[in-house]
Structure formats: structure tokens, C-alpha cells
Amino acid sequence: MAVQLSEAAQTRITQLIKRYPTPRAVMLPALHLATQEFPYLDDEVCQAVADLLQVPMVDVKGVATFYTMFPTEPQGACEVHICFNLSCSLKGARRLLRRAEQQLGIEVGQTTPDGRFTLRGVECMAACDKAPMLYVNDELHGNVSEEKLDELLQQKSSGE
Amino acid sequence: MEPIITRHIGTPELWRLDTYRACGGYETLAKALQEHQPDELVAMVRDAGLRGRGGAGFPTGVKWGFLPKDGRPRYLICNGDESEPGTFKDRLLLENDPHQILEGLILSCYAVGAHLAFIYLRGEFFLGARRVQEAIDEAYEAGYLGRNILGSGMNLEVLLHRGAGAYICGEETGLIESLEGKRAYPRIKPPFPANIGAFGMPTVVNNVETLANVRHIVAHGAEWYNRIGPERNRGTRMWCVSGRVRKPGVYEVPLGIPLRELIFDHAGGLEEGRTLKAVIPGGSSSPILTAEEAMEVDSDFDALQRAGTMGGSGGLMVLDDRVCVVQSAYIISEFYHDESCGQCTPCRQGTGWMTKLLHRIEHGDGRPGDVDLLLSMGANIFGRTICPLGDAAVWPVESAINKFRSEFDHHISEKRCLPDTESIL
């Protein structure tokens, strides 16, 4: 059977379609819902979203591959996103990024073999007063020292 | 001066409707719906001289006035995609005071006659999205949104729309494409969104802080607003100060105060023993100022423009004497290359070439002629793209070269940064 979104997600999408001027406008909300339910957005997931929105699958795929928050390959359970733009770099963000590479034994952009961590250097997250800052999934951490980073990674790898 | 927009920030649980109402929230809306016609609000905002706080500084009332009166439905979009590096003021408002934004938005929709509005939030504002959604739900419940708002006959639907990680969605036509469920490729203008915007309808796109200002202008009148800041630059600004200062943060001050006051009084100045080297005043795309220039210039839109730069998004980044200008330019250039949407060749290719060249110069492989080559690349990108991202990529690099040329030349002849530099790479 073809891949489908959960019933709750489908209901939500149907409700939203009624509120937006066009069904296609529900694209980003639908892809956010899909991202919560699938490890990444492959062709089958894109097809499921396309069917709900009544648009061609290529349009969904085109959008999914444009935006960085929609994964098109498997991600680690903890996505560590360290900002490396100017304000954070001025406060040592790039040292932090190298430290994370060392601690996790992977390079920026990679996922640990156990599937626990994905490490990314990301662009400004609009929290420069807390530089250097990072996200672990949707948790924001500010003023991160190397010690604090070590602790955080330790904590996350022991499954807290 | 007492802050206006951020006055209640710090109040516990300000994001809840009860708290917001206890701070006088929604009184302006109730009063305006009873006492004013929509056109009066447009006139008020125009006479107040409010200029957009998102980047371009375009007069809000004038923008509203562009909407054709032809009976088509109109949409209002609150631009909360805050992505210009160095900018973090909208996040503060969205997370802490979402009802203030909603009240400004409802008043603005009343003024322009919009019955459907969208709040487009950048995808990474997880907390902001929760707070704004809760605020919207509370506002529906309390009768500030929905049908027949406070018995006035006004109808308004508001939808929170989350982006998904693309800088270009801050550009209003890119945002509109994204809202329509497409890749965020900016559109050629004209037609302008005021005529053909979201879903082919007349559309107004206003920044978060801009909408918050509307609420206060309606509450106190244009005359009151005209007493704050110099002519053509009225009101306060929420400056985001970051980088090498003691107290990075958001500081709301009247437009036009000296930039030096922002850095040295409000943000606490530099760390012991450091001296000011340069300032990027309005987000990473704004041309860099030398310390001397920054010490003399005022913070209003026009003064910064006269100084060859811009107030932009209000993201002020401070560089001290240990920072390498070439490294800074490289980091900024890398960002614009990364965020180029890929639609226009000069931007897609040019930003990559500029970044590579800067990388090469920084890493000691620069060749004589490289600095001029950078300038010539910039000239070939500038003004040759659909949206201003191309220009935004050129300004910081071109200005860094023009003002710190010897530092670039030093990298080429000596293959390293100036002595006493601490690498930020």
C-alpha cells in the first residue's frame, strides 16, 4: 500500500485547505506535518502530500528540496545546528563547530553511524545576543562555551 | 526616553491575553473600531511618517495607499521571517509580546480593508510559533478575530504560516511565492504586490516591528509620533547590537541618536583593552563603517544613508581591533552564496566566485589583481538580479575593500592576517 500521512495529519490538511485561498498554499504546513511523521521526505511521501493537495508530485518534490528544514535523507535523532554566521563567529562559533566534530567523530554535514547525531553549521538564527548559539532539535542553547557543548553532547548521547 | 514597543517586555507571561490586557492591550483596537473610519487610520499612519522596520525603510502609509480600490479581496502579510544576519528584534516581540503584534495587525487590516491575514514566521522560530498560535487562539476566543470583531462588523481571519529555512523568504515577493506553496523565487517587479500580490490579489507585506508601531500611532496619534526622532525618521527603533560588545541585546531608542551612544552606552562598549575597528550597522548586507565614521554618524535612516550605508534591518554588528576584515567579509559572502535562490545567474554564480576568491585571499593563496577582480565581480552582479540579494552580497565586500584596502593587500603580499589578529574562522 502506498505511503500515507496519519489520519490526524490528513484531517488537519483538509481543514487548512478550506481556510487558504488555494490548496497548494497548504504545501509548507503539509510538509511540516510530513516531516514529523517520516524520517525524511522521499518520493513516496512527496506523492502522498501531492495527492492530498491535488498537485503534481514534482511540485512537492521541488519545494521539499528547496527549503533546508525538509530533510531529503535520514537525519540523526539529535540534530545539532551550530550557527556559524558573523556574530556567532565573533564569539567563537567556528571553534565550537570543530569541537563538536571532534567529540562526535564526524564532519559537519554528517550523521554518526549510530544515527544519534547529525551536525550542521547553519546560518544566522536571529539570536545573536546569545552568541554563540545552537539548536538541538527545537531547543535553543545560548552563550555556549566548549565545556557547555561537551556537557550537552554527553547528556544527549546518554539519552536524556 | 521610555521605550514604546518594548515597554512591557520583561513582564511575566506577557504573551498571555490576560497579562497583555492588564498592560492596556486591545483598548486601542476597541476604541479605533468605534471612533475611526479605515481611511482615517491610513492617514494617521501616513502623517506619522512611519517607515518600514524590515529593511528598506519605505513609508508604511504610502505603501498602503498603493492598494487599488477595485473591489478585489486584499491580503495583509506580517513578515516575521527575520533572517538578515545580526537581526533578532522580531524574535523578541514574537516570543514575548505576540498580542501586541496581533493588535497592530488587526488595526492595519481594518485600515487597508483586509479580511485575511497571514503571519509568516521563519521556520526556526519554534517558541515564537507556539506563542503566536496561542495568541491567535486566545484572540479568536475573545472576539478580537473572526466574524464581527467587537461588534463592529469587521471580519478577519489570521493564519500562522511557518517558513522552512530560506533567507530569501524575507524578500516580499519570495515570501509570497513561498506562501503560495512554491519555491521562494522572487518575482520581477512591477507588478508590485500592492496590485498583484499573494494569490493574484492586492497584498501588503509589513514587518513585525512595523505593525507593532501601528498600534501606538493609532493609540496616541500622528502628532505624538512626530515628536519622536528627526524629520522623515520618526519613532523609535529596536536596534539589535551584537558582536564584540559587553552587553549584546535589543535596545529600543528614538531614531537618530548617535550610533556611538548605542554601542558605548546601551550595549556597554567594548571589552577591556579593545578598540573599535568597524561597525556593520543594519544587518550583514549593509556597507561597513570604519570606527571614525561610526563615531560620527547618527542612527536614523537618512543619516546612515548619507554616510553611504543603511539602517536596514537594525542588526548592528561590532568589530574590534582583533578582528580581521577579510575573514568577516568571507563569512558574510559565504552566507549570501549559500542563500542565493539560484534564479539569476549573476547572483547564483557570482556570489560563489566572490566567496572562493575571498577564501583564497584569506588562506594565503591570493594573487596580485585578486582584489580588483573582486570589485569587478561585484560590479557585474550589482543591479543585474531580480531581487536585492545580489546587491546585498556585493555591498559588504565592496565596502570592506574600499575602506580596508590595505588589509586585503596585506593578505596578498604577506599571505596572512594583520599582526595581533585573532582568527574567527
Side-chain angles (χ1 to χ4, degrees):
Chain A
M1 199 175 123
V3 160
Q4 281 195 334
L5 272 73
S6 71
E7 232 163 85
Q10 292 192 34
T11 311
R12 177 85 187 124
I13 290 168
T14 317
Q15 284 168 347
L16 285 173
I17 288 175
K18 288 185 194 139
R19 300 183 72 190
Y20 276 85
T22 66
R24 182 166 179 161
V26 185
M27 181 78 79
L28 296 193
L31 288 174
H32 277 302
L33 288 167
T35 301
Q36 281 171 14
E37 300 192 350
F38 297 94
Y40 62 101
L41 307 180
D42 60 10
D43 287 1
E44 284 192 88
V45 177
C46 288
Q47 184 62 59
V49 171
D51 291 343
L52 290 167
L53 302 182
Q54 300 279 298
V55 296
M57 191 276 249
V58 286
D59 289 353
V60 179
K61 185 97 180 164
V63 172
T65 51
F66 184 83
Y67 297 90
T68 55
M69 286 176 73
F70 299 135
T72 45
E73 53 186 62
Q75 305 293 306
C78 288
E79 296 181 47
V80 181
H81 290 179
I82 302 181
C83 170
F84 68 163
N85 210 297
L86 185 55
S87 291
C88 282
S89 290
L90 284 168
K91 300 278 187 166
R94 292 186 187 229
R95 263 202 319 274
L96 219 52
L97 207 52
R98 281 192 293 274
R99 177 88 188 176
E101 283 184 325
Q102 211 180 56
Q103 297 288 64
L104 297 173
I106 50 172
E107 282 176 27
V108 170
Q110 295 181 334
T111 301
T112 51
D114 62 2
R116 203 171 261 285
F117 291 99
T118 298
L119 177 64
R120 283 220 165 72
V122 295
E123 298 296 1
C124 185
M125 292 290 158
C128 322
D129 49 342
K130 302 176 185 70
M133 60 77 65
L134 57 84
Y135 269 113
V136 180
N137 297 335
D138 60 358
E139 247 170 58
L140 191 157
H141 298 268
N143 303 307
V144 183
S145 60
E146 293 192 35
E147 295 73 41
K148 199 165 154 185
L149 174 76
D150 291 354
E151 267 173 46
L152 201 60
L153 294 178
Q154 193 64 46
Q155 220 180 68
K156 297 289 168 190
S157 67
S158 59
E160 279 174 47
Chain B
M1 196 196 123
E2 278 264 300
I4 298 166
I5 312 293
T6 55
R7 187 169 158 212
H8 296 292
I9 299 262
T11 308
E13 305 207 317
L14 178 59
W15 50 88
R16 293 191 189 284
L17 179 59
D18 290 347
T19 323
Y20 181 67
R21 274 200 291 223
C23 296
Y26 289 111
E27 282 170 16
T28 307
L29 177 69
K31 204 158 166 262
L33 290 181
Q34 276 191 355
E35 293 176 5
H36 295 294
Q37 291 303 309
D39 282 351
E40 291 170 32
L41 296 197
V42 176
M44 234 186 241
V45 169
R46 193 189 53 227
D47 295 345
L50 172 62
R51 292 172 69 169
R53 302 298 197 243
F58 193 81
T60 306
V62 177
K63 199 176 197 179
W64 289 0
F66 288 150
L67 289 167
K69 293 193 159 91
D70 55 9
R72 285 183 292 161
R74 295 158 166 198
Y75 302 126
L76 187 139
I77 303 171
C78 168
N79 185 346
D81 192 54
E82 186 164 69
S83 308
E84 178 72 14
T87 316
F88 44 95
K89 64 188 176 66
D90 296 340
R91 178 200 278 271
L92 182 82
L93 291 178
L94 293 159
E95 290 180 353
N96 294 286
D97 202 356
H99 279 290
Q100 181 178 206
I101 301 162
L102 271 183
E103 189 172 4
L105 176 138
I106 301 165
L107 286 163
S108 303
C109 286
Y110 178 63
V112 303
H115 302 299
L116 177 57
F118 303 92
I119 301 179
Y120 190 106
L121 277 203
R122 74 174 288 183
E124 298 89 345
F125 282 176
F126 302 104
L127 177 62
R130 281 204 298 277
R131 293 264 165 89
V132 170
Q133 189 57 57
E134 281 164 16
I136 292 174
D137 295 344
E138 283 181 317
Y140 269 105
E141 186 88 2
Y144 300 125
L145 288 176
R147 301 198 67 78
N148 191 19
I149 294 171
L150 302 178
S152 67
M154 176 193 180
N155 302 327
L156 178 63
E157 271 247 51
V158 174
L159 290 168
L160 168 67
H161 196 90
R162 289 179 61 216
Y167 167 74
I168 198 61
C169 293
E171 197 277 338
E172 61 179 9
T173 61
L175 185 153
I176 289 170
E177 287 285 307
S178 175
L179 177 66
E180 291 182 359
K182 303 174 194 160
R183 291 180 156 223
Y185 289 147
R187 298 174 179 173
I188 293 171
K189 294 190 263 192
F192 289 92
N195 186 20
I196 298 177
F199 312 103
M201 298 301 165
T203 303
V204 166
V205 184
N206 288 136
N207 167 261
V208 168
E209 187 189 350
T210 310
L211 292 175
N213 270 275
V214 169
R215 180 220 172 190
H216 298 277
I217 291 168
V218 174
H220 306 292
E223 215 173 288
W224 164 82
Y225 201 73
N226 271 300
R227 290 201 287 270
I228 313 160
E231 194 168 2
R232 288 181 24 87
N233 294 269
R234 301 305 193 194
T236 60
R237 237 198 135 166
M238 293 171 64
W239 284 99
C240 321
V241 189
S242 71
R244 296 286 174 88
V245 287
R246 281 181 216 250
K247 293 192 309 191
V250 174
Y251 300 99
E252 186 192 357
V253 293
L255 269 164
I257 71 156
L259 216 57
R260 148 183 107 244
E261 253 181 65
L262 252 176
I263 300 166
F264 288 95
D265 299 343
H266 297 276
L270 281 62
E271 292 294 336
E272 192 67 41
R274 302 291 173 94
T275 52
L276 185 65
K277 178 169 186 175
V279 172
I280 300 167
S284 68
S285 63
S286 57
I288 196 165
L289 294 171
T290 63
E292 298 75 45
E293 289 171 324
M295 294 302 277
E296 281 169 17
V297 75
D298 289 340
S299 63
D300 54 284
F301 291 99
D302 292 345
L304 286 163
Q305 200 181 351
R306 282 193 299 273
T309 182
M310 57 184 186
S313 58
L316 191 151
M317 295 186 272
V318 176
L319 313 188
D320 68 23
D321 54 337
R322 305 287 173 88
V323 179
C324 171
V325 166
V326 178
Q327 291 188 347
S328 305
Y330 166 65
I331 290 173
I332 294 174
S333 185
E334 202 180 31
F335 169 75
Y336 290 103
H337 172 49
D338 193 34
E339 294 296 342
S340 172
C341 78
Q343 197 177 201
C344 310
T345 311
C347 175
R348 183 186 63 241
Q349 301 296 106
T351 53
W353 295 345
M354 284 178 80
T355 306
K356 266 190 195 157
L357 220 74
L358 282 161
H359 184 272
R360 173 160 116 191
I361 295 171
E362 166 54 31
H363 288 82
D365 299 320
R367 302 168 203 161
D370 273 0
V371 181
D372 288 316
L373 184 58
L374 265 175
L375 289 174
S376 124
M377 279 178 190
N380 279 294
I381 300 171
F382 195 88
R384 292 169 206 266
T385 54
I386 290 172
C387 88
L389 194 145
D391 301 351
V394 173
W395 279 322
V397 177
E398 194 181 54
S399 60
I401 294 173
N402 289 337
K403 292 178 184 181
F404 296 91
R405 175 81 194 215
S406 61
E407 201 168 328
F408 282 83
D409 291 340
H410 178 93
H411 277 74
I412 292 190
S413 60
E414 307 304 317
K415 317 265 176 224
R416 68 173 87 94
C417 298
L418 291 175
D420 295 329
T421 301
E422 282 168 12
S423 177
I424 56 169
L425 289 182

